[in-house]
Amino acid sequence: VITKDMKKLLTILCLVLLVSCSNEVPSDKLVERNGITYEINSTTPFTGSSVGYHDNDQLSVKGNYKNGEKDGLWESYYENGQLESKGNYKDGKEEGLYESYHENSQLKEKGNLKDGKENGLWEFFYENGQLERRGNNKDGEMDGLYELFYKDGQIEERGNYKDGELDGLSEIFYKDGRLRNTFCLKNGKYVTMSYCDN
């Protein structure tokens, strides 16, 4: 038996579902003008959720807009349905943790963004899950230690960046771990080792 209170609750739930689903718009029904997204034939910046699909009808992308700009979680997918990438937006710029994946669902890269620029540690991975490279970024430029790795995990190269340019001691290694070469750079140009000894 359905009581009067249950009918009210059911009505409220139906309205909430209707309102939450009503603002999900297919991406092909949106248009961008001067960096702001609108529904086609609308002059009001779009606020709501958007979805896009691959030709095989699998979900391609989903995300949110606020006042015509990307805002909140965005996800993209491969044609096989596997998650390809996910990240957050704030006022139209990428912000916070970003992750992308290989088609086999192994992590491909991860790092943080601030005002749409890479900031802090970024790591990239081979399809087998092994670390491929890692390095620090500051305002979208490499800054600090970076390392490259062979597919088996052995270090391949190590060095430093300063304001987006190689700067300081760099080392290259053989696959068996032996040091192959050492060189010194300043502002991306080779210099004598005396610069790196300081």
Side-chain angles (χ1 to χ4, degrees), residues 118-119 136-146 160-168 185-188 195:
E118 295 171 349
N119 206 58
N136 289 292
N137 293 270
K138 185 178 178 185
D139 298 325
E141 292 188 332
M142 294 284 289
D143 196 272
L145 177 68
Y146 85 94
N160 287 285
Y161 275 86
K162 184 178 179 184
D163 301 324
E165 298 278 1
L166 280 167
D167 195 281
L185 297 115
K186 180 179 181 181
N187 299 325
Y195 174 74

Side-chain angles (χ1 to χ4, degrees), residues 14-158:
C14 285
L15 285 172
V16 167
L17 282 172
L18 188 63
V19 169
S20 66
C21 293
S22 65
N23 250 356
E24 188 172 90
V25 175
S27 58
D28 62 357
K29 303 291 182 202
L30 298 173
V31 64
E32 189 177 307
R33 296 182 214 123
N34 298 320
I36 301 295
T37 301
Y38 301 83
E39 284 187 74
I40 293 174
N41 299 324
S42 173
T43 57
T44 304
F46 178 66
T47 295
S49 299
S50 174
V51 292
Y53 295 90
H54 290 290
D55 290 339
N56 66 358
D57 294 327
Q58 282 281 355
L59 184 64
S60 165
V61 63
K62 69 178 180 178
N64 301 294
Y65 288 92
K66 184 177 178 184
N67 299 321
E69 296 182 325
K70 289 181 177 180
D71 198 88
L73 179 65
W74 274 78
E75 296 176 330
S76 66
Y77 297 85
Y78 289 107
E79 285 188 56
N80 67 4
Q82 290 288 342
L83 183 64
E84 183 177 5
S85 67
K86 65 180 177 180
N88 289 286
Y89 283 80
K90 185 177 179 185
D91 301 325
K93 292 181 180 176
E94 291 179 282
E95 187 79 24
L97 180 65
Y98 170 84
E99 293 179 340
S100 72
Y101 300 85
H102 291 285
E103 209 161 345
N104 68 359
S105 76
Q106 283 282 356
L107 186 62
K108 184 178 184 179
E109 70 179 297
K110 74 174 181 178
N112 284 289
L113 294 134
K114 186 176 181 183
D115 294 326
K117 295 178 180 175
E118 295 171 349
N119 206 58
L121 178 66
W122 274 76
E123 296 178 310
F124 298 81
F125 300 85
Y126 291 107
E127 282 189 63
N128 66 2
Q130 186 65 49
L131 184 63
E132 179 183 354
R133 59 189 159 103
R134 67 179 164 209
N136 289 292
N137 293 270
K138 185 178 178 185
D139 298 325
E141 292 188 332
M142 294 284 289
D143 196 272
L145 177 68
Y146 85 94
E147 296 174 307
L148 304 178
F149 299 89
Y150 291 107
K151 279 191 175 180
D152 65 359
Q154 182 67 45
I155 186 81
E156 181 179 356
E157 188 176 332
R158 177 173 40 224

